[in-house]
Amino acid sequence: DCVIRSEKGEYKEIQVKTRTPSNEHGARVFAVHGFKERKNYFIICHFIGTPDYWVLPSRIFEKHAVVNKRGFTRLTMTETKQFELRRYQNNFDLLKK
């Protein structure tokens, strides 16, 4: 979705994924088509209407996600997963490094 330059002059690629929170399982899934992990690639996951964002380095997104038959890498953001990934919650400082 965007590319930014860090304070050190390095570029970061960012893809923002938003979902409307609900009790339905599909509403908690953040999917990226053709995903490829790389050092400067981040996925930002956000539930619309909430103040929280998860700033996930692509290696972390990949570690917690699964790939389906259609080539989508999917992260299901359950309450347990949100707790596991709390270190990345609203951690925009990761983009400054």
Side-chain angles (χ1 to χ4, degrees):
D1 293 323
C2 66
V3 176
I4 61 169
R5 192 174 78 195
S6 71
E7 293 172 347
K8 294 182 180 181
E10 298 173 349
Y11 287 92
K12 310 286 182 180
E13 297 175 60
I14 301 171
Q15 191 162 19
V16 179
K17 296 294 181 181
T18 59
R19 300 296 290 175
T20 303
S22 75
N23 292 330
E24 297 176 33
H25 174 73
R28 296 178 286 161
V29 176
F30 295 94
V32 178
H33 188 264
F35 175 85
K36 183 177 179 185
E37 184 271 328
R38 51 197 178 274
K39 180 182 176 183
N40 64 336
Y41 181 37
F42 292 81
I43 310 296
I44 298 178
C45 302
H46 174 63
F47 287 123
I48 294 171
T50 72
D52 296 319
Y53 294 80
W54 287 267
V55 182
L56 302 173
S58 60
R59 66 179 173 76
I60 299 300
F61 185 86
E62 182 178 51
K63 177 181 175 182
H64 292 272
V66 297
V67 179
N68 70 11
K69 294 177 184 178
R70 292 190 233 156
F72 284 89
T73 303
R74 298 166 43 102
L75 173 63
T76 302
M77 197 64 97
T78 62
E79 287 184 26
T80 301
K81 189 61 66 183
Q82 290 176 44
F83 181 77
E84 288 175 22
L85 296 172
R86 69 190 176 279
R87 170 181 179 210
Y88 302 97
Q89 189 171 2
N90 300 317
N91 191 351
F92 288 96
D93 287 340
L94 290 171
L95 301 175
K96 294 180 182 179
K97 297 179 181 179

